[in-house]
Amino acid sequence: MLVLLFVAAVAATAFFLYSLSLWRSNRNLLKFFRKVAELADVVEDSPPSYVLERLRKKLKMLEEELSRAQRSRENILTLLDNISDPILFVEEDGTVTFANAAAQKITRSEPIARKIYEIVEEYYLIEMFEETVSAWQAQEAEIVMYVNDEKRYYACKMIPVILPGGERRIIIVMRDVTKEHELNELRRQFVSNVSHELRTPLTSIHGYAETLLSDPDMDVETRKRFLTIIENESARMSRLINDLLDLERMESGEARFEFKETNLCMVLNYVLSIVEPLAKEYGVEVSAQCDDVTVWADQDRMVQMILNLVDNAIKYTSLKEIGEKKVRIRITKEGDRAKIEVSDTGPGIPREALSRLFDRFYRVDKGRSRKMGGSGLGLSIVKSIVDRHGGEITVSSEIGVGTTFTVRLPIKREVET
């Protein structure tokens, strides 16, 4: 009897446990269906097929929203990648979470998930980052970095940001200001060069004028020599100022060019008539060859361009102490372009100087150039004239052999009047 009671008790306990498990399972299942109904936005007693259909539409809508969010994220990343300024997002501990394409070019290695001090070598940038984190205030400064062994200047700005979730980020934006630095340096050099070029003739004029005033009994020959020097130095200053104004007008587009059909042989003959006395004075033989070529150009500017090149060639060839002194001008047709070559047998130009020949005030031999009365702007003016005509100018030279300037101009009308 006891055995039967024991078996009955065990069976009752097992049934109770099974019932309890089933109740809990059904309760969890009921909670699940309630969640599904809530997600599908239906009432609890809706038919299962209806609930499943509503759920399927809801999931499709969520997928579309997720896809739009993904596209929006990709669009933002694409926009950031196409910004030319380096941009980085950095966590508070220095871990880089984003770097656009421009930023990746200035870092030593792949920046994502690396510390900021591991990817850049610039000490001041790291110091700025640490100050931004500690003070939690925006920092701004100019830094210098070497990118591919090239010195670059950046205006760097670091902005601390707290995200909606409470996370902290530092936005680093670096604007490349290298060109501004180069322009400022060119401006300083220009002012220095103009001051230097004007100082010499002004000093001469002042000195000789003061001597003339202090010695009224000076003999006629000495007085005449002093006055000649004053006149020459005044003319030199006038040439310098006129060349500067002319060059500035051309480069700013203010100079008027009257384009028309221009015969280069007529231009060359006119130039030869001007330089003939100079060539005889310096003992330089000038020869010319010209095919019948007509270009769309400003005739006066063509005269100015060829005259500058030939005048330079004659003067520099005259400096040669040994050997023949010859200048040759050759104008030919080369396809759809006119080719103008001015060659000399002068001392030649060093290779390292060729790239700077068309810079303002640049002289290969400063002392000799000034003695010959040049302003240092002739080749800059020539380059500007060639550019305005849609042409190109090149130079080749060999020390002790000579130099050749080659100008190629379009024959057809390719520039606006």
Side-chain angles (χ1 to χ4, degrees), residues 186-217:
L186 286 173
R187 191 178 294 111
R188 283 193 293 268
Q189 289 180 3
F190 175 75
V191 172
S192 174
N193 287 329
V194 171
S195 301
H196 183 74
E197 293 294 335
L198 290 173
R199 188 183 297 117
T200 303
L202 280 172
T203 302
S204 297
I205 292 171
H206 177 73
Y208 286 111
E210 190 176 38
T211 303
L212 287 169
L213 288 170
S214 63
D215 188 2
D217 299 325

Side-chain angles (χ1 to χ4, degrees), residues 12 22 147 151 155 173 197 224 232 245 277 292 306 313 341 362 382 388 399 402 417:
L22 187 62
V147 182
K151 190 175 184 180
V173 181
E197 293 294 335
K224 183 178 179 181
N232 290 338
L245 293 173
D292 189 17
I306 297 175
E341 294 174 287
Y362 182 76
V382 168
R388 284 291 299 271
I399 297 296
T417 56

Side-chain angles (χ1 to χ4, degrees), residues 76-338:
I76 292 172
L77 292 177
T78 301
L79 291 172
L80 290 172
D81 270 337
N82 281 275
I83 294 175
S84 58
D85 296 331
I87 299 175
L88 298 102
F89 300 159
V90 188
E91 292 182 351
E92 199 173 4
D93 64 353
T95 303
V96 178
T97 58
F98 171 79
N100 68 348
Q104 294 181 28
K105 291 179 182 179
I106 67 170
T107 55
R108 290 186 297 179
S109 57
E110 169 60 40
I112 306 301
R114 302 283 298 277
K115 300 293 185 183
I116 185 71
Y117 55 80
E118 294 177 343
I119 61 171
V120 293
E121 296 179 344
E122 177 51 40
Y123 168 77
Y124 291 107
L125 188 141
I126 304 302
E127 188 178 43
M128 276 182 66
F129 177 79
E130 292 174 350
E131 289 179 4
T132 305
V133 172
S134 65
W136 204 247
Q137 291 181 349
Q139 305 288 332
E140 196 169 352
E142 190 171 284
I143 62 173
V144 180
M145 295 182 67
Y146 285 87
V147 182
N148 298 325
D149 297 327
E150 183 181 356
K151 190 175 184 180
R152 312 291 298 179
Y153 295 86
Y154 291 95
C156 182
K157 189 168 187 177
M158 297 193 181
I159 307 164
V161 176
I162 299 178
L163 300 178
E167 297 178 357
R168 294 188 169 196
R169 294 287 188 275
I170 308 295
I171 300 174
I172 302 177
V173 181
M174 302 169 64
R175 186 169 64 87
D176 193 333
V177 293
T178 306
K179 287 186 178 180
E180 285 88 337
H181 268 266
E182 291 174 349
L183 287 173
N184 287 334
E185 182 60 28
L186 286 173
R187 191 178 294 111
R188 283 193 293 268
Q189 289 180 3
F190 175 75
V191 172
S192 174
N193 287 329
V194 171
S195 301
H196 183 74
E197 293 294 335
L198 290 173
R199 188 183 297 117
T200 303
L202 280 172
T203 302
S204 297
I205 292 171
H206 177 73
Y208 286 111
E210 190 176 38
T211 303
L212 287 169
L213 288 170
S214 63
D215 188 2
D217 299 325
M218 184 182 293
D219 63 90
V220 176
E221 287 299 322
T222 305
R223 182 182 297 274
K224 183 178 179 181
R225 182 166 60 86
F226 283 10
L227 289 172
T228 302
I229 292 172
I230 291 173
E231 183 184 18
N232 290 338
E233 293 300 308
S234 300
R236 178 179 165 188
M237 280 200 305
S238 296
R239 286 195 300 273
L240 173 63
I241 293 169
N242 289 333
D243 284 349
L244 272 173
L245 293 173
D246 196 23
L247 183 59
E248 189 62 32
R249 283 195 297 267
M250 280 193 286
E251 291 186 348
S252 65
E254 294 178 4
R256 288 184 58 82
F257 279 60
E258 297 182 3
F259 290 91
K260 61 181 180 180
E261 297 289 340
T262 303
N263 187 285
L264 291 180
C265 291
M266 292 178 61
V267 171
L268 178 59
N269 290 332
Y270 181 71
V271 170
L272 291 175
S273 67
I274 295 174
V275 301
E276 185 179 358
L278 180 69
K280 288 182 179 179
E281 180 184 347
Y282 284 116
V284 177
E285 179 186 336
V286 179
S287 61
Q289 174 192 342
C290 184
D291 296 344
D292 189 17
V293 182
T294 299
V295 296
W296 183 253
D298 183 304
Q299 185 169 313
D300 291 338
R301 295 297 181 179
M302 288 292 101
V303 171
Q304 186 180 13
M305 179 190 74
I306 297 175
L307 180 59
N308 258 312
L309 292 175
V310 176
D311 183 76
N312 280 350
I314 291 172
K315 288 177 178 177
Y316 279 97
T317 302
S318 69
L319 300 175
K320 194 172 183 179
E321 297 177 357
I322 301 174
E324 60 182 6
K325 298 180 181 180
K326 292 184 178 181
V327 171
R328 183 187 181 195
I329 307 104
R330 188 166 175 258
I331 299 177
T332 56
K333 186 176 180 181
E334 186 180 70
D336 60 351
R337 299 208 154 205

